[in-house]
């Protein structure tokens, strides 16, 4: 795209348009994961409004969303969605934690941290499945045998996620795994970078902007 560059996902304003596009991809034999998003960023080129569709969110959820989208205005790496989304997730996590602690919302902070722990458990299961599938896809199995092994792994992951709130209805496939990787793969590296800067967000942002401009990733 002219402004955003190459991105790992595609957005639509109408679900029907997304489903039509998904149907074409499925007909070509691709895995597809269609999901809704509450907001998007114009990377600071326009004013991004607070919409009626999410203004009634719980306070922590609304703060998380605002921190995430504003992070895209701070730094943006062209052609690297994993860099951009992982950075924004790292910012939202730290931002919500600091905001709830600073404003004395202790009960909400506890609930938020508990939710983070549930997500951590789910993401650990997802990462284990990704690792097993990566090993599988690197073999020379016949396509039919590989598809059968892939199906078994996806069924196993779905069973693991059924007990975790927020993931109970998940029907995983390659597209689902790729979407989660886009938003989480580099989060630990960004959190490590923030720690190296002593938690100073201004210094952290400067480091991230230099990485984005140079086409490098945090390690």
């Amino acid at each position: 795209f002219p402004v955003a560059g190459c991105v790992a996902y595609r957005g639509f304003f109408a679900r029907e348009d997304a489903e039509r596009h998904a149907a074409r991809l499925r007909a070509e034999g691709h895995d597809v994961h269609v999901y809704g998003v509450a907001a998007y960023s114009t990377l600071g080129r326009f004013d991004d409004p607070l919409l009626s569709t999410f203004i009634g969110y719980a306070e922590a959820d609304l703060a998380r969303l605002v921190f995430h989208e504003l992070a895209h205005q701070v730094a943006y790496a062209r052609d690297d969605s994993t860099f951009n989304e992982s950075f924004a997730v790292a910012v939202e996590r730290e931002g919500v934690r600091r905001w709830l602690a600073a404003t004395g919302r202790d009960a909400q902070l506890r609930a938020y941290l508990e939710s983070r722990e549930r997500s951590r458990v789910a993401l650990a299961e997802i990462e284990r499945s990704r690792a097993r599938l990566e090993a599988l896809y690197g073999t020379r199995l016949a396509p039919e045998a590989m598809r059968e092994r892939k199906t078994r792994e996806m069924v196993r992951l779905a069973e693991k996620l059924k007990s975790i709130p927020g993931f109970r209805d998940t029907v995983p496939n390659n597209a689902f795994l790729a979407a989660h990787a886009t938003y989480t793969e580099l989060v630990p590296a960004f959190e490590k970078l923030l720690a190296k800067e002593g938690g100073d967000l201004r210094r952290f942002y400067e480091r991230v902007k230099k990485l984005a401009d140079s086409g490098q990733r945090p390690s």
Side-chain angles (χ1 to χ4, degrees):
F1 296 96
V3 175
C6 181
V7 294
Y9 36 61
R10 185 162 182 169
F12 296 83
F13 287 106
R15 175 110 190 179
E16 295 78 11
D17 292 338
E19 293 292 358
R20 277 195 293 271
H21 185 68
R24 289 196 294 270
L25 293 176
R26 288 192 189 97
E28 295 172 5
H30 299 292
D31 279 4
V32 178
H33 178 53
V34 178
Y35 59 99
V37 295
Y40 59 90
S41 173
T42 60
L43 309 181
R45 293 173 180 267
F46 302 96
D47 291 333
D48 295 329
L50 292 175
L51 304 177
S52 61
T53 47
F54 60 73
I55 196 65
Y57 279 16
E59 286 184 324
D61 290 332
L62 180 58
R64 178 193 62 76
L65 180 65
V66 171
F67 288 140
H68 182 103
E69 299 306 333
L70 287 178
H72 290 312
Q73 296 185 22
V74 173
Y76 185 80
R78 187 178 176 87
D79 302 332
D80 195 342
S81 297
T82 301
F83 182 106
N84 298 320
E85 298 300 351
S86 294
F87 166 62
V89 169
V91 170
E92 76 175 52
R93 289 181 178 180
E94 185 66 10
V96 172
R97 186 190 66 77
R98 292 190 187 193
W99 175 67
L100 291 175
T103 54
R105 291 170 166 83
D106 296 338
Q108 291 184 48
L109 178 57
R110 286 194 297 273
Y112 172 71
L113 294 177
E114 289 170 0
S115 174
R116 282 272 307 277
E117 177 59 21
R118 290 192 295 270
S119 293
R120 186 194 67 78
V121 172
L123 291 173
E125 292 291 350
I126 291 170
E127 284 305 306
R128 283 192 283 269
S129 282
R130 285 187 68 217
R132 287 191 290 265
L133 287 166
E134 182 177 12
L136 171 64
Y137 298 155
T139 66
R140 295 185 177 181
L141 282 177
E144 295 79 9
M146 187 174 291
R147 290 192 189 97
E148 193 274 333
R149 292 270 300 277
K150 169 194 169 184
T151 299
R152 289 209 309 263
E153 180 60 45
M154 295 302 183
V155 170
R156 175 165 53 179
L157 176 58
E159 286 297 319
K160 291 285 187 179
L161 296 178
K162 276 184 179 179
S163 62
I164 304 174
F167 294 86
R168 288 171 176 162
D169 298 324
T170 298
V171 180
N173 59 18
N174 284 337
F176 167 82
L177 297 180
H180 272 275
T182 298
Y183 281 79
T184 62
E185 186 174 332
L186 295 178
V187 172
F190 279 115
E191 291 177 337
K192 180 180 177 182
L193 181 59
L194 176 58
K196 283 184 177 179
E197 296 299 333
D200 188 308
L201 287 171
R202 290 184 180 178
R203 293 206 306 264
F204 171 63
Y205 292 155
E206 288 304 315
R207 290 284 300 278
V208 172
K209 283 189 280 190
K210 288 179 181 178
L211 287 172
D213 291 341
S214 67
Q216 297 179 310
R217 286 181 165 186
S219 58

